[in-house]
Amino acid sequence: MRKWKCEVCGYIHEGPEPPDTCPLCGASKDAFVEIIARDEGDPIADNAPRTSAPVPALETSAVPRNWSAPPVAPIDQSGDDIKAGLFALSYGMFVVSSVSDGKYNAQAANTVFQITSEPARLALGINKQNLTHEFISQSGLLAITILGKGNMKDIKRFGFQSGRRGDKFQGLDIRLSPKVQCPIIPDGVSYLECRIRPEMSTDVGTHTLFVADVVGGGPLRSQEPITYAYYRANRAKPEQIVDDVDWNNVVAALNLEYGANRRYQYQIASLENPDLVSMLEGVMRTEGDHVDNLIAHLQRRLAASGTLGQAKGLVTALLHMRLNLEFEEVARATYSQFAKETQDQALKDLFLDQARSEMGHINIFKESVASLEQGESPVKFFCPLCGWEIDYGPTPDIGTSKICPKCGATFSLELVGVDWALKRDE
């Protein structure tokens, strides 16, 4: 069986061809190189020294244990999945950079952790095959940028390619840290500057566990740090979506306001106390203002983004359909996760049923978004005089005129702000 190694993270794949993407780091197929064994068909020998020293017996006690519950049989290992266990460990995400002979390199990493606070000292694991490992070993210097939401593009830039094949900093304005003069990512959360302690660093096989003193650092941008779990959950999303922190925060705020508004509507209909109803109506009006303000911001952003396709004059319609699509995708993923976590079979069935329902909603909104973007959705209005439907067809022009089939009034299309509106002809 042929073996392939990812040059980015060191993952080994067995098969006739390398995988399309690395299951560990997401690198493309081009990042894999074939491993040629020294003797074709024979495994590479394990040169690690072996010992014949006896294994000490576990210490036992004659005093019986008082178990809080009866011991149970070990977990069935027939479904053993080491990767599933490893992926459940959550880490931060970082860019580690170093310098050597006036050249710079950096890589994405998730194994960086503090060891002591006095003195400030941390450890990080770096693959020996990586160019960053070579630079760190030569100079003893490195900088760490702690990444936040909005830095997914940096994970891809510094994690999906090898510095041996090209300059990862090409096209970027390089900012050097003040003390060790290693590159940092200016729109990260914060940075740390470090000097390696070689006498404390350890060879751990494929990686070196570098121990380093923190000699400097500081904040860069106020944003929430991301975790490895967040990266895995969002790595397939387009960069312009997942990295747009402002857009995503406004959408999150809008979803909260939507929920609050509907909550108060339900409570007003359920209560008979006039004082409480009056109070809730006032709060609901405020939440409605919040919704209007947030929608207006997103309308302006979408209109200026250049991503409307042929949905001219239908900005608000497209915006709402996109918001609905994203909300339903989050809901489906959330219910699916809840179903995995519960031990109550009835509750599991309930969550799974809701997840299936949300999948149907997702398909509905996907079709609606595609129709609007491609200009296949007709522009329709209800006549303001009689309520009959007036159909202007897909992608009409400003000034297109139609006669109401019911009352005979004539209306032309005009663009008011970012949306179509009716103007009655004289």
Side-chain angles (χ1 to χ4, degrees), residues 164-191:
R164 302 182 192 279
R165 295 186 176 184
D167 181 7
K168 298 183 184 182
F169 293 101
Q170 186 175 7
L172 292 182
D173 293 328
I174 298 177
R175 177 176 169 184
L176 300 180
S177 63
K179 294 185 178 178
V180 301
Q181 297 292 290
C182 291
I184 58 177
I185 310 301
D187 62 347
V189 175
S190 59
Y191 73 96

Side-chain angles (χ1 to χ4, degrees), residues 6-206:
C6 175
E7 287 191 313
V8 176
C9 71
Y11 169 74
I12 304 297
H13 172 81
E14 293 188 6
E17 298 289 339
D20 291 334
T21 58
C22 176
L24 292 185
C25 70
S28 66
K29 186 176 184 178
D30 294 340
F32 281 82
V33 295
E34 186 172 6
I35 299 174
I36 307 298
R38 286 173 294 183
D39 295 314
E40 190 65 25
D42 293 332
I44 298 176
D46 180 6
N47 295 320
R50 302 184 182 275
T51 175
S52 58
V55 178
L58 294 175
E59 183 178 349
T60 60
S61 171
V63 180
R65 292 182 180 272
N66 293 320
W67 299 97
S68 59
V72 296
I75 296 174
D76 179 15
Q77 295 299 305
S78 60
D80 187 32
D81 187 349
I82 294 176
K83 289 181 182 178
L86 292 176
F87 287 157
L89 296 174
S90 191
Y91 318 84
M93 291 299 292
F94 316 91
V95 168
V96 178
S97 68
S98 188
V99 59
S100 179
D101 297 328
K103 297 180 180 180
Y104 306 109
N105 195 62
Q107 68 165 79
N110 64 357
T111 311
V112 177
F113 54 94
Q114 181 180 345
I115 298 176
T116 61
S117 55
E118 293 293 340
R121 186 171 292 154
L122 53 77
L124 63 157
I126 302 294
N127 193 307
K128 294 177 183 177
Q129 302 295 322
N130 293 354
L131 184 60
T132 304
H133 183 284
E134 181 180 316
F135 280 23
I136 292 173
S137 300
Q138 292 173 357
S139 68
L141 305 174
L142 62 92
I144 300 166
T145 302
I146 294 86
L147 301 180
K149 292 182 177 178
N151 290 123
M152 290 290 282
K153 62 183 181 301
D154 298 308
I155 297 175
K156 295 178 181 180
R157 172 184 283 269
F158 293 102
F160 287 16
Q161 58 181 323
S162 171
R164 302 182 192 279
R165 295 186 176 184
D167 181 7
K168 298 183 184 182
F169 293 101
Q170 186 175 7
L172 292 182
D173 293 328
I174 298 177
R175 177 176 169 184
L176 300 180
S177 63
K179 294 185 178 178
V180 301
Q181 297 292 290
C182 291
I184 58 177
I185 310 301
D187 62 347
V189 175
S190 59
Y191 73 96
L192 296 169
E193 302 180 85
C194 303
R195 294 184 185 275
I196 296 298
R197 296 293 298 267
E199 75 281 7
M200 296 181 179
S201 300
T202 305
D203 185 329
V204 290
T206 58

Side-chain angles (χ1 to χ4, degrees), residues 89-399:
L89 296 174
S90 191
Y91 318 84
M93 291 299 292
F94 316 91
V95 168
V96 178
S97 68
S98 188
V99 59
S100 179
D101 297 328
K103 297 180 180 180
Y104 306 109
N105 195 62
Q107 68 165 79
N110 64 357
T111 311
V112 177
F113 54 94
Q114 181 180 345
I115 298 176
T116 61
S117 55
E118 293 293 340
R121 186 171 292 154
L122 53 77
L124 63 157
I126 302 294
N127 193 307
K128 294 177 183 177
Q129 302 295 322
N130 293 354
L131 184 60
T132 304
H133 183 284
E134 181 180 316
F135 280 23
I136 292 173
S137 300
Q138 292 173 357
S139 68
L141 305 174
L142 62 92
I144 300 166
T145 302
I146 294 86
L147 301 180
K149 292 182 177 178
N151 290 123
M152 290 290 282
K153 62 183 181 301
D154 298 308
I155 297 175
K156 295 178 181 180
R157 172 184 283 269
F158 293 102
F160 287 16
Q161 58 181 323
S162 171
R164 302 182 192 279
R165 295 186 176 184
D167 181 7
K168 298 183 184 182
F169 293 101
Q170 186 175 7
L172 292 182
D173 293 328
I174 298 177
R175 177 176 169 184
L176 300 180
S177 63
K179 294 185 178 178
V180 301
Q181 297 292 290
C182 291
I184 58 177
I185 310 301
D187 62 347
V189 175
S190 59
Y191 73 96
L192 296 169
E193 302 180 85
C194 303
R195 294 184 185 275
I196 296 298
R197 296 293 298 267
E199 75 281 7
M200 296 181 179
S201 300
T202 305
D203 185 329
V204 290
T206 58
H207 290 58
T208 296
L209 187 66
F210 289 109
V211 176
D213 289 334
V214 179
V215 298
L220 293 170
R221 182 181 178 189
S222 180
Q223 59 176 322
E224 182 182 353
I226 65 172
T227 63
Y228 184 59
Y230 177 89
Y231 156 70
R232 287 188 58 81
N234 292 276
R235 60 182 176 174
K237 293 182 180 179
E239 289 179 10
Q240 66 270 24
I241 294 178
V242 72
D243 275 340
D244 194 335
V245 176
D246 289 343
W247 178 279
N248 289 320
N249 286 346
V250 171
V251 170
L254 182 60
N255 287 336
L256 291 175
E257 298 297 334
Y258 275 146
N261 199 273
R262 183 65 185 90
R263 173 194 295 268
Y264 300 139
Q265 287 180 21
Y266 180 84
Q267 292 175 356
I268 289 170
S270 304
L271 295 173
E272 296 183 0
N273 185 313
D275 291 337
L276 291 177
V277 168
S278 178
M279 180 268 290
L280 287 172
E281 286 176 340
V283 173
M284 190 176 70
R285 283 192 294 271
T286 302
E287 303 293 1
D289 292 340
H290 295 168
V291 169
D292 290 341
N293 294 336
L294 292 166
I295 286 292
H297 174 84
L298 294 181
Q299 286 174 328
R300 293 191 294 270
R301 286 286 304 275
L302 184 58
S305 68
T307 62
L308 286 174
Q310 299 183 51
K312 178 183 177 182
L314 296 171
V315 174
T316 300
L318 178 58
L319 171 62
H320 283 306
M321 295 306 102
R322 285 187 178 178
L323 290 174
N324 292 344
L325 173 59
E326 181 175 332
F327 180 81
E328 296 293 347
E329 287 175 336
V330 172
R332 185 203 59 79
T334 301
Y335 294 144
S336 297
Q337 182 61 32
F338 288 171
K340 294 177 183 177
E341 294 175 357
T342 184
Q343 300 300 311
D344 184 320
Q345 186 59 47
L347 188 57
K348 182 187 292 288
D349 293 341
L350 174 62
F351 284 139
L352 288 175
D353 182 65
Q354 291 182 193
R356 285 190 290 269
S357 177
E358 305 303 351
M359 193 65 237
H361 298 163
I362 288 170
N363 292 332
I364 290 172
F365 290 125
K366 276 185 176 179
E367 292 179 4
S368 181
V369 168
S371 178
L372 287 165
E373 289 180 334
Q374 296 167 15
E376 298 172 352
S377 180
V379 178
K380 295 181 179 181
F381 284 91
F382 290 113
C383 175
L385 299 181
C386 69
W388 200 261
E389 183 182 276
I390 306 175
D391 187 350
Y392 287 84
T395 63
D397 295 321
I398 295 175

